[in-house]
Amino acid sequence: MTERNPGFATLAVHAGAQPDPTTGARATPIYQTTSFVFNDADHAASLFGLQAFGNIYTRITNPTTAVLEERVAALEGGTAALATASGHAAQLVALQQLMQPGDEFIAARKLYGGSINQFTHAFKSFGWNVVWADTDDLSSFQRAVSPKTKAIFIESIANPGGSITDIEAVAEVARNAGVPLIVDNTLATPYLIRPIEHGADIVVHSLTKFLGGHGNSLGGIIVDAGTFDWSKGGKYPMLSEPRPEYHGLKIQETFGNFSFAIACRVLGLRDLGPALSPFNAFMLLTGIETLPLRMQKHCENAKAIAEFLSTHKAVDEVNYSGLASSKYAALARKYAPKGAGAVFTFSLKGGYQAGVDLVANLKLFSHLANVGDTRSLIIHPASTTHSQLDDAQKTAAGAAPNMVRVSIGIEDKDDLIADLDQALGG
Amino acid sequence: MNHDSYADDYIRAILNGVKTIAMVGASPLNVRPSYFVFKYLTERGYDVIPINPGQVGNSLLGKPFVASLKDIDRPIDMVDVFRGSAHVMPVVDEVLSLSPLPKVIWMQIGVRNDEAAAKAEAAGLKVVMDRCPKIEYGRLSSEISWMGVNSRTLSAKRAPIPVKGMRLSLDRQSVSGGNTAASDRAVKNRNEPG
Ligand SMILES: Cc1ncc(COP(=O)(O)O)c(C=O)c1O
């Protein structure tokens, strides 16, 4: 076959988008509308019955958002995607298709603190029970499997510690257990790691971070790898059984290898409601066009800064998987050869107070609770994102009291190093 | 030929080349996949004929049901099979008894019978298995993109707004020949006993 295969940067610019059929507009228009007119009663009935391609209402589909969805599906190598109002909403909608009250899912203990909260508290109130496992002890995943297990959830690069997960090893556990592996790929982005190639069945993102990349819009997305057979064993009735709200339609039978994405949309998004605003979809799409360029710079800066910090006298330890000395160096070489991302933590010899002082003394780093911005960011997780966790949970999640987390931006790295140096007391 | 994956050019040539499609196992129930496909292909300008012996006397969206392939009064380009894999061989035998011979046998998602495929191919027919022509047409035209589905095609050309009865251009740049990184794994998972 002589067909050319477009590369990642080409997909980042083109996938999902083509000139607007009505106006010829080349940038993707912002279809800032709640609803779409029907051609006639038959057209309306076909759309409501999922028989025809077309838009009804922006809670379910929107043409601007659809470009974003196809773009990320293409970058991840999935069959389809569904955008949501935030990364948290993506996690909620994805798990809702899999979980019934009383079911369990296994999650890595090293997760974004907000996800730990969502799983521990909000999901608990739905009767979805999280069972924790440790990515540094892969046998803990196997031990956590029970007949009630419906999914396994990990982060590719964990927030805040920046550790790299052995995705293939966890995928093997999921495969043997007959459950899908969900990978939160927020910190890596598909530019650095494509989890589907390593065995993930579902990929979720907070688009709020590096994919959008400019710190201006919240968003989330669910990517369907198209790899999981939902009919096996009757474990996933949302996908395999007749749906009463669609007059007995069976999602997997009708939509084949993108049925998970369709279930997320026509059962999850439709009924739970956390749709992305078309304006945010436009902002996020614009960000994604420069993803390859930005990620190269983010990673180059992060590595230089991690190296600088690891020789600084005020610094106790730097946890950056891209350092040769990191215990995750081998995993980083395997899974993220282009760079280990730009979010990492380091601990200070001066303890909790040194962390507070560092944050106060910096002039270019912004003190805020986000990652994946063009700007460099810093936070003290123990007192902010992870403050609702107890001390043991904090440490397990990679957020000890003397630890600060940075998200390195795309500024000139010498300016960032100079700022850190002065703030650490030279 | 290998039926685990298909190059986009193979599917494109089929969908661009056929006009009359006989649908074996067409259902009058509007929640069945066959109904979805029947309706879509009809709206995209194909002449689709519903076959279902239990429905003779009724019609589907204005097209009378017929009992079997032999009862069709015009040459058929493609036979689209909505039957379980185990029931495909008799359909292929019937197809091969027709004159003129149809050019394509297409088996729907979940339907795969390699023996029947080999027999049809030996007679010069093209075969597609475990795929849906609605999904493939929607994908290659990018019409399916409205629902966030990865069309695995790109285009910098302005396309017309689709209206009923319009055939769409399927001539977009393909990505990975139309396969995803995951598609081989999906095939493997499906073929394993569950
Ligand atoms: C790894 C990871 N997953 C999920 C989320 C949640 O995303 P959002 O804030 O868009 O809901 C975040 C946010 O910080 C994150 O870092």
Side-chain angles (χ1 to χ4, degrees):
Chain A
M1 199 74 247
T2 53
E3 249 171 335
R4 257 197 80 72
N5 189 12
F8 190 91
T10 303
L11 295 180
V13 171
H14 284 279
Q18 70 186 96
D20 183 55
T22 310
T23 60
R26 182 61 267 221
T28 298
I30 306 172
Y31 288 95
Q32 193 70 25
T33 180
T34 55
S35 5
F36 302 83
V37 293
F38 305 118
N39 300 340
D40 49 44
D42 176 54
H43 180 225
S46 308
L47 290 176
F48 278 108
L50 306 178
Q51 294 154 7
F53 303 130
N55 299 295
I56 299 174
Y57 190 64
T58 287
R59 171 150 38 79
I60 305 165
T61 61
N62 175 279
T64 309
T65 307
V67 175
L68 172 68
E69 290 166 338
E70 185 174 359
R71 174 99 26 111
V72 178
L75 294 176
E76 287 287 7
T79 53
L82 167 97
T84 55
S86 67
H88 260 23
Q91 295 170 185
L92 167 66
V93 170
L95 281 163
Q96 189 226 356
Q97 310 321 310
L98 309 177
M99 305 287 294
Q100 307 283 323
D103 284 346
E104 292 174 0
F105 69 106
I106 301 168
R109 224 176 248 116
K110 281 203 180 71
L111 286 190
Y112 163 57
S115 299
I116 295 176
N117 281 335
Q118 185 188 45
F119 295 176
T120 309
H121 303 296
F123 288 1
K124 178 90 193 159
S125 71
F126 303 157
W128 306 348
N129 300 315
V130 61
V131 180
W132 300 107
D134 183 354
T135 43
D136 289 337
D137 170 16
L138 292 164
S139 68
S140 64
F141 281 88
Q142 189 56 54
R143 286 196 304 275
V145 173
S146 89
K148 291 180 182 166
T149 307
K150 290 295 171 72
I152 300 182
F153 187 104
I154 57 175
E155 289 178 5
S156 53
I157 300 182
N159 183 3
S163 60
I164 312 262
T165 304
D166 190 346
I167 301 170
E168 288 174 13
V170 182
E172 188 58 29
V173 176
R175 225 180 119 65
N176 291 336
V179 302
L181 174 65
I182 308 175
V183 177
D184 180 341
N185 199 31
T186 298
L187 260 47
T189 81
Y191 179 75
L192 297 178
I193 300 179
R194 297 185 5 129
I196 291 171
E197 289 171 3
H198 301 292
D201 300 296
I202 297 164
V203 174
V204 294
H205 279 279
S206 169
L207 298 173
T208 317
K209 321 297 176 188
F210 293 96
L211 274 163
H214 294 71
N216 57 26
S217 308
L218 263 88
I221 204 156
I222 301 164
V223 181
D224 185 350
T227 46
F228 198 84
D229 184 348
W230 303 103
S231 63
K232 277 186 186 167
K235 269 196 207 171
Y236 300 99
M238 295 278 272
L239 288 119
S240 63
E241 297 307 308
R243 293 307 309 174
E245 60 272 71
Y246 290 104
H247 309 292
L249 175 135
K250 296 181 196 164
I251 304 260
Q252 164 150 32
E253 174 190 68
T254 310
F255 297 102
N257 69 359
F258 52 91
S259 54
F260 183 74
I262 296 289
C264 286
R265 187 183 301 281
V266 306
L267 304 177
L269 199 54
R270 189 196 67 158
D271 292 354
L272 299 174
L276 183 68
S277 143
F279 182 79
N280 279 21
F282 173 83
M283 298 299 281
L284 295 164
L285 257 181
T286 304
I288 288 172
E289 292 183 4
T290 56
L291 177 71
L293 299 171
R294 285 186 292 102
M295 289 313 287
Q296 284 163 24
K297 182 80 169 158
H298 277 297
C299 290
E300 179 195 320
N301 283 0
K303 183 145 195 278
I305 287 164
E307 279 164 358
F308 160 76
L309 289 170
S310 61
T311 61
H312 200 285
K313 61 182 185 302
V315 175
D316 185 27
E317 199 180 359
V318 180
N319 302 304
Y320 182 59
S321 300
L323 289 177
S325 58
S326 164
K327 74 174 188 183
Y328 300 104
L331 287 171
R333 274 194 304 278
K334 172 171 182 183
Y335 287 104
K338 283 187 274 191
V343 174
F344 63 90
T345 57
F346 56 98
S347 53
L348 296 160
K349 289 183 182 149
Y352 184 91
Q353 192 53 41
V356 173
D357 292 344
L358 169 63
V359 169
N361 293 341
L362 283 164
K363 295 182 173 135
L364 286 177
F365 280 74
S366 305
H367 178 207
L368 53 74
N370 191 27
V371 295
D373 196 322
T374 50
R375 288 153 280 260
S376 291
L377 316 172
I378 190 161
I379 200 164
H380 186 212
S383 60
T384 53
T385 51
H386 288 60
S387 62
Q388 270 128 338
L389 308 181
D390 62 36
D391 270 0
Q393 280 178 314
K394 276 178 194 166
T395 305
N402 65 334
M403 193 85 87
V404 291
R405 180 190 72 191
V406 285
S407 170
I408 303 301
I410 58 173
E411 302 98 329
D412 287 308
K413 60 175 175 277
D414 292 344
D415 295 334
L416 299 174
I417 288 173
D419 193 26
L420 283 163
D421 196 30
Q422 66 79 22
L424 286 167
Chain B
M1 99 171 233
N2 169 24
H3 287 280
D4 290 340
S5 66
Y6 299 100
D8 279 1
D9 278 347
Y10 180 75
I11 302 288
R12 225 179 245 127
I14 289 172
L15 293 174
N16 278 330
V18 305
K19 169 100 184 82
T20 304
I21 302 173
M23 184 179 284
V24 177
S27 169
L29 290 178
N30 70 1
V31 296
R32 302 300 302 155
S34 61
Y35 179 94
F36 283 42
V37 176
F38 187 94
K39 183 166 179 173
Y40 179 74
L41 294 178
T42 302
E43 288 189 357
R44 286 282 147 264
Y46 292 98
D47 174 17
V48 195
I49 302 150
I51 303 179
N52 186 332
Q55 293 294 326
V56 176
N58 299 328
S59 56
L60 189 55
L61 301 168
K63 294 285 197 67
F65 276 100
V66 298
S68 80
L69 285 162
K70 290 190 285 294
D71 301 324
I72 297 173
D73 58 0
R74 48 200 186 275
I76 304 160
D77 298 322
M78 173 166 124
V79 178
D80 185 12
V81 185
F82 278 89
R83 299 294 311 274
S85 304
H87 305 286
V88 174
M89 192 56 106
V91 176
V92 168
D93 286 334
E94 203 183 338
V95 170
L96 296 182
S97 73
L98 297 175
S99 173
L101 265 186
K103 301 180 189 78
V104 181
I105 294 191
W106 188 304
M107 302 175 211
Q108 284 289 330
I109 292 180
V111 186
R112 177 159 180 163
N113 184 324
D114 287 275
E115 205 189 326
K119 191 166 186 181
E121 284 175 325
L125 275 72
K126 285 186 177 174
V127 176
V128 177
M129 296 192 282
D130 195 22
R131 293 287 186 283
C132 172
K134 172 181 176 179
I135 290 173
E136 295 304 310
Y137 194 97
R139 193 174 71 69
L140 294 172
S141 66
S142 91
E143 206 186 355
I144 203 168
S145 300
W146 74 278
M147 236 188 186
V149 175
N150 186 1
S151 72
R152 308 197 296 285
T153 62
L154 309 177
S155 172
K157 293 277 182 287
R158 180 174 172 181
I161 300 165
V163 294
K164 232 182 220 179
M166 184 196 274
R167 292 287 280 264
L168 305 176
S169 165
L170 307 182
D171 194 22
R172 296 161 55 86
Q173 161 89 51
S174 283
V175 177
S176 305
N179 292 313
T180 63
S183 56
D184 290 348
R185 185 151 53 93
V187 169
K188 198 161 150 260
N189 288 352
R190 267 202 306 281
N191 295 342
E192 269 178 14

